[in-house]
Amino acid sequence: MASAWERKWQYSDLGKKVVFLPSILLCELFIDPGFPMMLHGVLLLLDVSGFTTLSEKCVQRSGPDRGAEELAQTLNAFMRDILEEVLAFGGDILKFAGDAVLVLWRATQPQLPKAITLALQCCRKIQKKYGTRDTHVGLRLHLKIGISTGTLAFLSVRGGDQQYFFIYSRALNDVIEAQSLSAAHQVMLSQTCWEQCEQWRIWAKPLPGRRVVKVVGMRRLSRQQCQVAVGQLDQYTAEWHLEGSGLRRPALKMPNDPDVATRLEKHLPAAVLHKLHQDVPLELCSELRLVTSLFVQLQFVVRINVEDLSRSLSDSSSMISEIISPHKGEINKTLLFDKGCTFLCVFGFSGAKLASESIHALECAMQIVRMASTRLTKLQRVSVGVSSGMAFCGLTGHPERFEHTALGFKVNLAARMMVSYPGLVSCDAETYAASRLPSDCFKELPRRNMKGVTNSPTVYQYVGITEKW
């Protein structure tokens, strides 16, 4: 894995932080705004279909240790090629979600048609070159891509000592729907995106009964036209640039600025800061570790305005951080989809290992449910999935834009349990066994089919430590 992050240039000290963050956070407008900031843009959601099944097959073929490493190597090789194209077309990589990536082309209202063309040409090229990938376990991966556009609310909220950002808008819901309706080698546009694009360049077919159109062809831009278009949008996507650096993201060579560094550090996970403060080279920030993954989904009421949502997200982030931090857990990922917010919390990263880790995670899960139910006024439902097992803990993405996260079948399983058993604290058999808690702390749940999981595992509901125990 070390060679995956090596480049002929060296990042600046500040660049080592920038590489974990989207370019939009470098813009002056988004320096800890404290309230929703409105912008226009084009969203792209790219998902690798078959990732959960791949993670399961890697473990079945090579065992939990080697399987987790093989999964990370396969995903990184695939993602590097794809994200190289995204960066070349001026896309700002906002969020990673394991096997999915959310990208933004920020633009003014008049520039949206050209931004849509850029995003679409990028996607068509990606689907042509990388739309299908055969893996070493005999499984074929496919890309599913959706594009939308509109007015976006940029939300920046505090959670403990850290800062988290979210994008919220109808366009986010639209891009999720478009991507979900996509199939292998397809690109789907939301209806709003279709209405605002340069239609004379695009051949498309509407999907009956859906506000989505399937792109079947387009008049492509020349390389020079693409470069001009990217340059025109660039002033709106990243304001910190250096010429002649040879990087897709010249901001990685930014001179050191203590004020900027301090601000950016608030957005970095504790595991990343721990490595950076120890001057650990980026290529050595990955390892295999036994961790416990805790996925939390907070489903808010349907009718919630952006101000109330921003307040709820801030309260949620602070509450979860307050609960898990004393137990050495950390919020690794935050995602906002369709008025539901998902947090990935990880227990057991380097420098944060405790004995009886599964008990800490389960009790944190129960506290989150109890406190969320009483403190979050706009909450409709809270669901938690907890799993334990070997995971690849390290860098995933592209050498110029990556994240530090946990990857593995058990991590995916926690997310699937969270969705399949709504309103409960669910856990896998390994967490149940490792906790060594009495059986009356748990209830075995009916087996359910989970997306991408071929053999439905035994799942338990954690009901809490009883007074009897």
Side-chain angles (χ1 to χ4, degrees):
M1 287 301 299
S3 62
W5 309 107
E6 291 174 356
R7 278 294 199 247
K8 61 184 178 182
W9 51 76
Q10 294 293 319
Y11 306 142
S12 67
D13 288 341
L14 191 57
K16 292 177 182 178
K17 300 178 177 68
V18 173
V19 77
F20 289 95
L21 301 169
S23 296
I24 196 171
L25 289 179
L26 301 176
C27 298
E28 294 290 343
L29 288 174
F30 302 100
I31 297 178
D32 193 14
F35 56 89
M37 299 290 296
M38 308 308 292
L39 60 133
H40 300 289
V42 177
L43 289 177
L44 177 157
L45 183 60
L46 182 152
D47 180 78
V48 179
S49 179
F51 179 71
T52 300
T53 304
L54 173 65
S55 67
E56 185 179 31
K57 286 186 175 294
C58 284
V59 171
Q60 291 172 348
R61 178 181 184 270
S62 305
D65 293 13
R66 179 58 184 161
E69 187 174 17
E70 287 179 351
L71 176 68
Q73 290 174 339
T74 301
L75 182 64
N76 273 329
F78 200 14
M79 281 298 184
R80 277 197 304 274
D81 292 337
I82 294 166
L83 298 182
E84 178 73 17
E85 299 293 345
V86 169
L87 293 170
F89 279 89
D92 190 10
I93 300 165
L94 292 181
K95 295 271 188 178
F96 293 89
D99 58 343
V101 181
L102 183 66
V103 183
L104 170 69
W105 277 263
R106 188 177 166 211
T108 61
Q109 184 73 39
Q111 289 180 317
L112 286 178
K114 186 61 68 178
I116 295 170
T117 297
L118 266 179
L120 183 54
Q121 180 149 329
C122 173
C123 293
R124 295 287 290 176
K125 187 173 181 180
I126 288 172
Q127 284 289 36
K128 183 177 180 180
K129 294 177 67 176
Y130 312 112
T132 300
R133 175 71 64 100
D134 291 320
T135 66
H136 65 290
V137 295
L139 181 69
R140 178 167 292 182
L141 301 177
H142 302 286
L143 293 180
K144 300 174 62 179
I145 299 178
I147 304 176
S148 71
T149 189
T151 302
L152 314 171
F154 180 91
L155 312 177
S156 181
V157 303
R158 289 189 183 278
D161 295 329
Q162 288 191 277
Q163 199 86 10
Y164 305 98
F165 75 91
F166 303 88
I167 292 290
Y168 171 67
S169 77
R170 170 64 184 272
L172 182 61
N173 296 338
D174 288 346
V175 79
I176 295 169
E177 181 183 15
Q179 181 273 321
S180 68
L181 295 172
S182 175
H185 295 288
Q186 290 183 354
V187 178
M188 296 290 185
L189 298 179
S190 70
Q191 182 63 36
T192 303
C193 196
W194 170 246
E195 291 168 357
Q196 297 192 49
C197 72
E198 298 176 317
Q199 293 188 9
W200 60 274
R201 287 188 179 276
I202 302 167
W203 293 271
K205 292 182 179 180
L207 265 63
R210 301 282 189 171
R211 290 181 52 82
V212 170
V213 299
K214 178 174 69 174
V215 178
V216 296
M218 71 176 296
R219 293 186 177 91
R220 294 180 297 174
L221 297 173
S222 67
R223 177 177 295 184
Q224 183 176 3
Q225 287 174 320
C226 284
Q227 291 174 345
V228 170
V230 171
Q232 290 172 341
L233 294 181
D234 194 53
Q235 59 183 306
Y236 299 102
T237 55
E239 297 174 2
W240 303 73
H241 266 205
L242 297 173
E243 296 297 329
S245 65
L247 292 161
R248 298 291 192 191
R249 300 185 67 203
L252 300 180
K253 299 289 275 187
M254 285 172 57
N256 294 322
D257 183 324
D259 292 335
V260 176
T262 299
R263 176 167 59 83
L264 294 184
E265 284 186 1
K266 294 178 182 178
H267 289 274
L268 297 179
V272 170
L273 287 175
H274 178 72
K275 299 284 189 182
L276 293 178
H277 289 162
Q278 291 185 327
D279 291 324
V280 176
L282 292 176
E283 61 269 21
L284 299 181
C285 286
S286 300
E287 58 188 330
L288 291 173
R289 294 187 65 84
L290 186 64
V291 299
T292 299
S293 303
L294 188 154
F295 267 94
V296 181
Q297 185 179 69
L298 303 174
Q299 193 72 31
F300 300 110
V301 296
V302 174
R303 297 184 180 277
I304 182 170
N305 59 45
V306 67
E307 289 79 14
D308 285 340
L309 178 62
S310 181
R311 192 178 305 111
S312 293
L313 291 173
S314 180
D315 291 344
S316 302
S317 302
S318 296
M319 178 196 71
I320 293 174
S321 179
E322 173 188 321
I323 290 171
I324 69 174
S325 292
H327 301 270
K328 301 298 183 182
E330 75 165 59
I331 298 175
N332 177 258
K333 202 187 305 288
T334 59
L335 302 166
L336 181 63
F337 290 140
D338 195 23
K339 296 186 179 64
C341 185
T342 299
F343 294 83
L344 167 59
C345 307
V346 179
F347 295 76
F349 274 143
S350 179
K353 195 74 174 173
L354 290 179
S356 304
E357 183 178 273
S358 59
I359 298 179
H360 289 282
L362 289 169
E363 275 303 291
C364 284
M366 189 60 71
Q367 287 185 55
I368 289 170
V369 171
R370 290 168 180 160
M371 293 184 68
S373 300
T374 57
R375 287 173 50 173
L376 303 179
T377 58
K378 298 295 183 178
L379 184 68
Q380 193 172 55
R381 185 175 65 202
V382 55
S383 310
V384 185
V386 185
S387 69
S388 302
M390 192 64 66
F392 171 88
C393 299
L395 309 181
T396 64
H398 183 278
E400 293 187 36
R401 176 67 178 97
F402 49 74
E403 69 164 356
H404 182 277
T405 191
L407 285 177
F409 174 67
K410 285 296 185 176
V411 182
N412 286 15
L413 181 61
R416 298 307 188 202
M417 291 189 300
M418 173 192 71
V419 173
S420 298
Y421 299 93
L424 304 176
V425 174
S426 56
C427 72
D428 64 346
E430 285 73 13
T431 303
Y432 167 80
S435 73
R436 297 184 179 179
L437 292 171
S439 59
D440 59 0
C441 294
F442 301 87
K443 292 181 181 179
E444 186 171 344
L445 293 168
R447 292 178 185 259
R448 292 179 181 170
N449 292 329
M450 290 183 269
K451 183 180 176 182
V453 180
T454 55
N455 298 311
S456 297
T458 301
V459 178
Y460 297 89
Q461 178 187 358
Y462 179 61
V463 297
I465 297 175
T466 62
E467 292 184 7
K468 178 180 177 181
W469 187 79

